Amino acid sequence: VATTTSDIRTASRFEVLRGVYAAGSTTRQALAAAGPLSFATVSNVVAELLDAGVLVETAYEASAGGRPRARLGVNAGRGRLAGVAVSETHVRVEVFDLALQQVSSDQRPLRLAEVGAEELVAAITAGVTTAIAGSPAERSEAPGAGRDGAHESGVLGAGVSLPGYVWSRSGAVPLFDGMGAAGGGALGGRLARELGLPMVTDNPLKAAALAELWFGAGLGARTLVTVTLGTGAGAGVALRGALLRGATDSAGEWGHTTLVLDGEHCRCGARGCVEAYVGAPAILRRWGRPAADELTGMAELAAAVRAADPVAQSIVQEIGRYLGAGLANLVNIFNPDIVVLGGWVMDQLGEWLLPAARATAAARALARPFAATTIQRSLISAHRTCLGMAAFALENFLRDAGVPSSRSTPIPVRH
Amino acid sequence: VATTTSDIRTASRFEVLRGVYAAGSTTRQALAAAGPLSFATVSNVVAELLDAGVLVETAYEASAGGRPRARLGVNAGRGRLAGVAVSETHVRVEVFDLALQQVSSDQRPLRLAEVGAEELVAAITAGVTTAIAGSPAERSEAPGAGRDGAHESGVLGAGVSLPGYVWSRSGAVPLFDGMGAAGGGALGGRLARELGLPMVTDNPLKAAALAELWFGAGLGARTLVTVTLGTGAGAGVALRGALLRGATDSAGEWGHTTLVLDGEHCRCGARGCVEAYVGAPAILRRWGRPAADELTGMAELAAAVRAADPVAQSIVQEIGRYLGAGLANLVNIFNPDIVVLGGWVMDQLGEWLLPAARATAAARALARPFAATTIQRSLISAHRTCLGMAAFALENFLRDAGVPSSRSTPIPVRH
């Protein structure tokens, strides 16, 4: 969480951009008034973003006694960004315009624990290529737009989320070392070559946190916790806009914290982990009906709850109770302003899980931090991880377009 | 974790001061070479600290072909700082010189859950007055040194740690609202008036984290977790030198996270909390021998372990296992560089608890973050909370001595 001159430039740029995204259309004056930056800083940053073609002046409005004020907006057509979420069961690609509106997508099955690096790279490359081909800008481009296209309305970069761990039968296998927004190891380099795009990789929990921070309920939160419920369970944390990463970029593994000492076996090798109770396989084991795959099984459980099936109803209550105890732990540890839950299990079961979880958390968390916390479902309509990875790709593009300072002087901030 | 111009000044000052504390005696050149600050920044900050009388130039050393380099040290005699730890069972005061070496102390019993604000303020005031009277500077001062004494070798301030919650029979009662390094509510104001000193209050978990950050094992750690084991159990977290506080300053309540769902009743009203297994009352309940007070009981348990009493030995193994599972949760959530354990229960039982806890954590935490983490006992010989509170008081003194900027422009830092 240190700052350097270049970090401050970068942070100011994101601050402005977030302000424009949040407002849709705004002015330099409004950005300065609403945010922490001075008018001079806002003006400098806006000038850079206009130069880079990321922002455009869309109109002028009269100002009392002064010069007309320019309205600013994101130049949606400046280029596209691909956000890729590799989960344990499939590869999902969403392509966004620069306003971070989804323009096309692709989804293909992939059993992550069963494939090698070859197949993984091939699946991601195929998904990205297909999704890009299906996006409007590409379809309307003349054949051979080639490099010019890449500069005008082409794809500015891709962000690929990969789980920090792949869970094989033999336990937790780290997929990457030193993964992070900047890197991705050997596999990341290979992907970048195959895709022929500037690329970043990161962990899906971090992507979810970034998506909420930029476009979701976390906008403006000082202490934001995001929870993602799918095959696995995990948390992302942002403190005053900076993601919590930890020593080796694996912070947020809430899914593998013990909730029930000596409880259910977890695929990580330990017992009683949160994920062993609220992860999709645990939920479906409780439900006990065979299904073609997890997604189908979960949809069937949701349908049964909706049809007032008492077994299904009691299952979502039980799962909600485990979830609530796990959320109470996050509330007590982080004392967050807001906890935002997403992921495909929340999409399916959230309307029942959330009230049950909230009631349990209310009973178990300390009263004061619980009262200070809003617990809610994600309001993001796009795939949250894909959106977050596209935002990482945008950060990367802007960083490349910037002028980094040559001397890095991190300064620890106030206590 | 935002930065403002004044925050950066403040942070630079602490960075320099920490460097001098760590080195004992050093030079501007060595500080610039070892730390993140430029030589120019180090020089500016050193000039300020020399002006404030906090640093002194102690000697000059020859430099190859250049001007002689001044050696810098802390001006220990510049003044004293009082660090006060209010726990559930007593009030401990330690007085430090400006080199943060303890010069005197006072300890008196106080049943926090049973006293009102009057008695609390009286006990703290008596403790601080007694400890100050017992410190060498005071004893050698001529009677009537008065205000001059306060400026030369007097007490520059006090830091008082108060638990965020007082646990009465009816559950958790917040002692303060909006507590923090800067405040302390109505009780804080009253204390400041009684003591007649610049005063700060904070939570003991934050004080422990600050002490480790400045003087302990956390020096230089990017992600530091401190654990305090006493009557209660809790954690402090520092991320790149900044304390994690949360929305209402209660982050770190790890002692009240669920470890054993539906397990032992905890005084917070929930069940199965970490504290319900590793807090002193839980340990002594397991041991089952009556004792005059917790401290005596714990010393007797320690003596029994040392005498190879099999019951006592199996108890520390059991407690170590619960502690280890709780530490594994912290490792998975924060992915820290280092976890430092302190508190009076660690002082008594640490030599047995720590190996047992480490073995359990190794088996339960994810392999990669566990491998990246050092788990160790605190190396601080002073009372950790008192030392941390004295450091907060020093921060406060330096802040008052500084020139804060008039415009606060927090800037979110990089992701």
Side-chain angles (χ1 to χ4, degrees), chain A residues 4-5 7 405-410, chain B residues 36:
Chain A
T4 64
T5 308
D7 283 342
S405 96
S406 59
R407 170 142 170 80
S408 178
T409 55

Side-chain angles (χ1 to χ4, degrees), chain A residues 11 262 271 321 364 395 412 415, chain B residues 11 262 321 364 395 412 415:
Chain A
D262 305 326
R271 292 178 59 182
R321 181 168 168 270
R364 305 189 63 90
E395 285 197 353
H415 301 297
Chain B
D262 304 325
R321 180 168 169 270
R364 305 190 62 89
E395 286 196 352
H415 303 295

Side-chain angles (χ1 to χ4, degrees), chain B residues 33-204:
Chain B
L37 302 175
S38 68
F39 181 75
T41 302
V42 168
S43 294
N44 288 340
V45 171
V46 165
E48 280 179 9
L49 292 171
L50 288 170
D51 275 353
V54 171
L55 293 187
V56 283
E57 293 189 337
T58 54
Y60 287 84
E61 62 184 24
S63 130
R67 291 194 299 166
R69 295 174 170 182
R71 292 207 71 82
L72 303 162
V74 175
N75 184 8
R78 169 68 179 85
R80 286 161 294 153
L81 299 159
V84 183
V86 177
S87 74
E88 337 243 339
T89 54
H90 55 259
V91 174
R92 181 166 183 87
V93 181
E94 300 204 348
V95 175
F96 299 85
D97 64 21
L98 218 60
L100 272 301
Q101 297 295 312
Q102 200 231 83
V103 291
S104 64
S105 66
D106 179 80
Q107 184 161 324
R108 50 192 68 213
L110 182 87
R111 305 291 310 172
L112 189 57
E114 293 161 18
V115 302
E118 280 306 330
E119 289 165 274
L120 177 57
V121 169
I124 293 171
T125 307
V128 170
T129 307
T130 306
I132 288 175
S135 65
E138 195 72 23
R139 285 198 304 267
S140 66
E141 266 165 29
R147 275 182 40 185
D148 272 49
H151 285 276
E152 286 307 318
S153 62
V155 181
L156 304 177
V160 179
S161 87
L162 293 146
Y165 289 87
V166 175
W167 308 95
S168 67
R169 277 170 199 282
S170 58
V173 180
L175 186 56
F176 286 115
D177 283 320
M179 205 167 64
L187 188 50
R190 206 159 130 194
L191 258 175
R193 280 192 302 278
E194 289 289 325
L195 291 173
L197 289 172
M199 212 201 69
V200 288
T201 61
D202 215 316
N203 175 304

Side-chain angles (χ1 to χ4, degrees), chain A residues 1-3 7-8 11-12 14-15 18 36-38 164-165 167 174 176-178 210 213-214 223 239-254 256-262 268 270-271 321-322 325 329-330 332-337 364 366-369 372 392 395 407-415, chain B residues 1-3 7-8 11-12 14-15 18 36-38 164-165 167 174 176-178 210 213-214 223 239-254 256-262 268 270-271 321-322 325 329-330 332-337 364 366-369 372 392 395 407-415:
Chain A
V1 205
T3 47
D7 283 342
I8 288 177
S12 301
F14 299 152
E15 183 68 33
R18 269 204 295 266
L37 303 174
S38 68
Y165 289 86
W167 309 95
F176 285 115
D177 283 321
L210 191 70
L213 205 56
W214 277 53
T223 308
L239 306 166
R240 282 212 190 176
L243 301 185
L244 175 67
R245 292 193 172 277
T248 54
D249 227 344
S250 82
E253 291 288 358
W254 164 78
H256 300 286
T257 58
T258 303
L259 186 64
V260 186
L261 194 74
D262 305 326
C268 75
R271 292 178 59 182
R321 181 168 168 270
Y322 289 112
N329 286 356
L330 291 172
N332 283 355
I333 284 187
F334 288 104
N335 185 200
D337 304 291
R364 305 189 63 90
L366 294 169
R368 202 160 41 141
F392 275 127
E395 285 197 353
R407 170 142 170 80
S408 178
T409 55
I411 295 167
V413 290
R414 72 189 174 78
H415 301 297
Chain B
V1 206
T3 48
D7 283 341
I8 289 177
S12 302
F14 299 151
E15 183 68 32
R18 268 204 296 266
L37 302 175
S38 68
Y165 289 87
W167 308 95
F176 286 115
D177 283 320
L210 191 69
L213 205 56
W214 276 53
T223 308
L239 305 167
R240 283 212 189 177
L243 300 185
L244 175 66
R245 291 194 173 276
T248 55
D249 227 345
S250 82
E253 291 289 357
W254 164 77
H256 300 286
T257 58
T258 302
L259 186 64
V260 185
L261 193 74
D262 304 325
C268 75
R271 294 178 59 181
R321 180 168 169 270
Y322 289 111
N329 286 356
L330 290 172
N332 284 355
I333 284 186
F334 288 105
N335 185 201
D337 304 292
R364 305 190 62 89
L366 293 169
R368 201 160 43 142
F392 275 126
E395 286 196 352
R407 169 137 171 83
S408 177
T409 55
I411 295 166
V413 291
R414 70 188 174 79
H415 303 295

Side-chain angles (χ1 to χ4, degrees), chain A residues 80-85 91-97 100-107 127-128 131-132 135 155 157-159 380-390:
Chain A
R80 285 162 292 152
L81 299 159
V84 183
V91 174
R92 180 163 184 89
V93 181
E94 299 204 348
V95 175
F96 299 85
D97 64 23
L100 272 302
Q101 296 297 312
Q102 201 230 82
V103 291
S104 62
S105 68
D106 179 81
Q107 184 161 325
V128 171
I132 288 175
S135 66
V155 181
I380 293 174
S381 57
H383 189 286
R384 187 162 75 162
T385 311
C386 290
L387 178 62
M389 289 313 309

Side-chain angles (χ1 to χ4, degrees), chain A residues 204-210 212 224-230 232-238 252-255 274-275 278-279 322-331 334 336 338-347 353-354 357 373-379 384-385, chain B residues 333:
Chain A
L205 304 177
K206 312 292 190 293
L210 191 70
E212 292 295 344
L224 164 73
V225 173
T226 57
V227 165
T228 302
L229 298 182
V237 180
E253 291 288 358
W254 164 78
V274 169
E275 186 175 298
V278 306
Y322 289 112
L323 176 61
L327 294 180
N329 286 356
L330 291 172
V331 168
F334 288 104
I338 186 163
V339 180
V340 188
L341 293 91
W344 67 266
V345 168
M346 276 307 289
D347 293 343
L353 285 186
L354 190 60
T373 302
T374 304
I375 300 178
Q376 64 171 66
R377 291 173 72 179
S378 176
L379 303 170
R384 187 162 75 162
T385 311
Chain B
I333 284 186

